[in-house]
Amino acid sequence: MNLLKEELKKCIPIAQGDIKQLIKDKGDQKISDVSVAQAYSGLRGIKAFVCDTSSVSADKGLIIRGMPLLDITHILPEEVFFLLLTGRLPNSTELNDLNDEFSAHLNVPEYVWNVLGEMPDDAHPMTMFNTGILAMQGESVFRERYDQGMAKTEFWEAILEDGIRLLAKLPALGAGIYRMRFDKGERIAPDPQKDWSGNFVHMTGLPDESGDFHKLMQLYFMLHCDHEGGNVSAFASHTVASALSDPYYSVCAGLNGLAGPLHGLANQECLKFVLSVRDEFDGLPTEDGLREYCWNRLNNGRVIPGYGHAVLRCPDPRFSAFVKFGQDHIKEDDVFGIVDLLFKVVPDVLQEHGKAKNPWPNVDAASGSLLYYYGLKEFNFYTVLFSISRTMGMISQMVWERALGIPITRPKSVTTDWIKSNA
Ligand code: HAX
């Protein structure tokens, strides 16, 4: 019994009615204007579509279905998936039911490993991960039912079914790629008794006697789940899904965007930067030494990874949650110490530099130091972890877009000549 689906069957008609009425009452009201400067600046700040799973406020950061992130850092990734979709946390029966749904679909088909096994030894783990997802596209329930003439009203159910099956497999796909790509030996089979994060830790084969790595991964997978609808990965998957490409195609499109260094790949770039500081100073630098090191990087035309954001204008609460975990568990660690010191130094440096609109740390500034401490040292793998989690947000957004019958995405572009004559 899929209790999540049953709950959505109750929520969706209410939201459909509510939105129909809203469009009737306020359909002609404006919510945004677009200036010429905005047309040339990555659509920044233009309110042009709706995402109800979460919102990002400039001064508070991520709010999931009305709940500020720092109020819910204790919940499990499985719970946050239910929350993103339904607007409330599951009770224990609903959570167990969702875990049973995941447990029924844990195994990645063998042909996926064959495909990945043929890739070059130095393939980027994100390329392998996205190839793995795309290779499974033939499994799509949405595609199969669409081919059989499924009615529009049933689209969301097929997306949810694909989403659960795909999400169930992602820890195994990620952990299997980790072992394959970094020569860690045979793959380890998933254990249906373990939770999503625990299974991932188990399948990496990394030691976790204290259970703290498991706790970190629960936090990690929870914190990265969603970040409203306009970020590169969410928007890319939203656009591709609007063509009724199934969730395998659409998630893959989003994750290809997450693989960019200005987006999800910043977590690998950030730890690379932190380790370069450690190597340069043979441990923890002085504040003055670190300031000079940051200026050199900026003067060479490079960004400080893990700092800045297109929407946020405050320290990212996801960063704060990771720092709290670090202070509680690995306070004395040198690499974590550098992350802490960067937080003291970089905002002032960026403010003096005068370019970045937001000088504060984002989600990627601290996570790598924690993963590194627990033995996950291969930092070009880190964006795969981000991807496992962010798929929850992409799937949740897709379910609602199809439930609300949002049509194909097709904004209008204009030419520079048109702007010259019309603006
Ligand atoms: N270091 C140096 N310069 C920075 C900077 C940083 N951390 N952040 C912004 N700037 C610069 C921009 O490059 C831009 O310079 P130009 O005018 O020369 O082009 C200028 O400041 C204005 O940029 P902005 O308006 O403040 O920022 P954007 O909305 O254009 O970009 C980014 C937001 C996150 C891409 C940007 O802050 C950045 O490149 N940060 C470093 C990379 C990073 O940490 N990315 C992860 C972001 C979080 C995320 O999505 N994770 O997945």
Side-chain angles (χ1 to χ4, degrees):
M1 173 87 176
N2 186 334
L3 295 179
L4 174 56
K5 193 194 279 182
E6 294 310 307
E7 179 62 18
L8 281 167
K9 279 185 180 166
K10 287 186 227 151
C11 303
I12 286 172
I14 298 170
Q16 284 168 334
D18 190 35
I19 290 166
K20 205 169 164 190
Q21 189 62 42
L22 190 65
I23 295 172
K24 200 168 159 206
D25 295 345
K26 298 196 170 187
D28 291 333
Q29 300 291 312
K30 269 194 181 181
I31 55 169
S32 223
D33 286 316
V34 183
S35 68
V36 171
Q38 280 173 308
Y40 285 99
S41 64
L43 310 181
R44 198 77 81 262
I46 301 166
K47 300 183 193 77
F49 71 114
V50 176
C51 167
D52 285 320
T53 55
S54 69
S55 63
V56 178
S57 107
D59 58 347
K60 292 195 189 70
L62 179 60
I63 298 170
I64 301 177
R65 293 279 187 181
M67 299 187 193
L69 186 74
L70 291 180
D71 292 352
I72 51 169
T73 50
H74 58 283
I75 70 173
L76 294 170
E78 294 88 333
E79 291 178 286
V80 90
F81 182 53
F82 195 102
L83 174 65
L84 286 166
L85 276 162
T86 66
R88 68 167 177 83
L89 289 166
N91 60 34
S92 57
T93 313
E94 288 164 333
L95 182 59
N96 290 339
D97 182 74
L98 180 58
N99 282 332
D100 289 346
E101 290 287 327
F102 281 144
S103 294
H105 300 286
L106 292 176
N107 288 305
V108 175
E110 200 53 37
Y111 63 80
V112 173
W113 301 117
N114 296 337
V115 171
L116 298 181
E118 291 301 317
M119 292 182 74
D121 289 347
D122 62 352
H124 194 283
M126 275 301 285
T127 316
M128 296 176 78
F129 192 69
N130 292 352
T131 302
I133 293 175
L134 205 52
M136 289 190 280
Q137 184 273 335
E139 311 277 330
S140 173
V141 171
F142 181 89
R143 181 200 54 82
E144 190 186 353
R145 289 197 200 148
Y146 190 86
D147 287 349
Q148 292 163 353
M150 164 174 59
K152 261 186 172 183
T153 48
E154 293 167 18
F155 284 178
W156 72 264
E157 290 188 46
I159 302 276
L160 180 66
E161 188 62 48
D162 270 345
I164 288 175
R165 291 178 186 208
L166 178 59
L167 280 165
K169 292 176 180 54
L170 293 188
L173 181 62
I177 287 171
Y178 177 70
R179 292 187 67 78
M180 182 184 261
R181 173 64 176 73
F182 300 107
D183 297 326
K184 303 284 179 185
E186 292 291 300
R187 283 191 309 280
I188 299 170
D191 176 351
Q193 301 308 316
K194 292 193 189 295
D195 72 331
W196 212 52
S197 325
N199 227 338
F200 172 77
V201 170
H202 158 71
M203 288 182 283
T204 60
L206 289 165
D208 183 29
E209 274 152 37
S210 66
D212 287 347
F213 184 35
H214 179 190
K215 282 189 206 139
L216 172 65
M217 290 319 302
Q218 285 177 331
L219 181 69
Y220 190 106
F221 288 142
M222 187 272 162
L223 292 181
H224 286 82
C225 64
D226 200 35
H227 218 228
E228 69 173 38
N231 63 77
V232 166
S233 49
F235 195 62
S237 74
H238 154 88
T239 302
V240 172
S242 79
L244 300 185
S245 302
D246 63 57
Y248 293 82
Y249 281 128
S250 313
V251 165
C252 209
L255 296 184
N256 286 333
L258 199 74
L262 297 188
H263 193 17
L265 205 78
N267 61 9
Q268 101 166 34
E269 295 300 296
C270 193
L271 191 75
K272 206 197 292 181
F273 174 59
V274 171
L275 295 182
S276 77
V277 171
R278 183 195 63 179
D279 295 346
E280 173 76 15
F281 294 92
D282 208 10
L284 208 59
T286 61
E287 273 190 43
D288 284 347
L290 187 57
R291 191 170 297 111
E292 194 186 334
Y293 193 77
C294 291
W295 270 111
N296 282 342
R297 188 174 167 106
L298 290 172
N299 291 337
N300 284 331
R302 303 182 69 190
V303 297
I304 308 284
Y307 281 76
H309 201 271
V311 178
L312 292 173
R313 296 293 177 263
C314 66
D316 191 330
R318 300 170 296 178
F319 168 80
S320 310
F322 278 133
V323 167
K324 181 171 182 330
F325 187 96
Q327 278 161 352
D328 291 348
H329 293 87
I330 64 163
K331 204 171 174 358
E332 306 305 326
D333 180 64
D334 258 9
V335 175
F336 178 68
I338 294 172
V339 168
D340 215 26
L341 200 59
L342 280 165
F343 184 36
K344 288 200 183 87
V345 167
V346 174
D348 286 346
V349 169
L350 283 178
Q351 250 154 354
E352 203 182 325
H353 186 240
K355 277 191 167 187
K357 294 187 189 69
N358 176 43
W360 301 110
N362 60 55
V363 62
D364 297 318
S367 57
S369 65
L370 300 170
L371 296 167
Y372 193 80
Y373 178 87
Y374 289 105
L376 221 171
K377 293 184 188 278
E378 297 82 359
F379 48 81
N380 59 354
F381 182 73
Y382 291 174
T383 311
V384 170
L385 304 177
F386 196 152
S387 304
I388 292 175
S389 173
R390 187 50 67 87
T391 301
M392 290 193 284
M394 289 192 271
I395 292 290
S396 306
Q397 294 186 23
M398 247 176 258
V399 166
W400 274 98
E401 280 152 11
R402 296 295 75 78
L404 297 176
I406 307 292
I408 189 164
T409 302
R410 182 44 168 105
K412 176 82 182 90
S413 61
V414 292
T415 62
T416 295
D417 282 344
W418 184 93
I419 292 194
K420 284 179 181 166
S421 338
N422 291 278

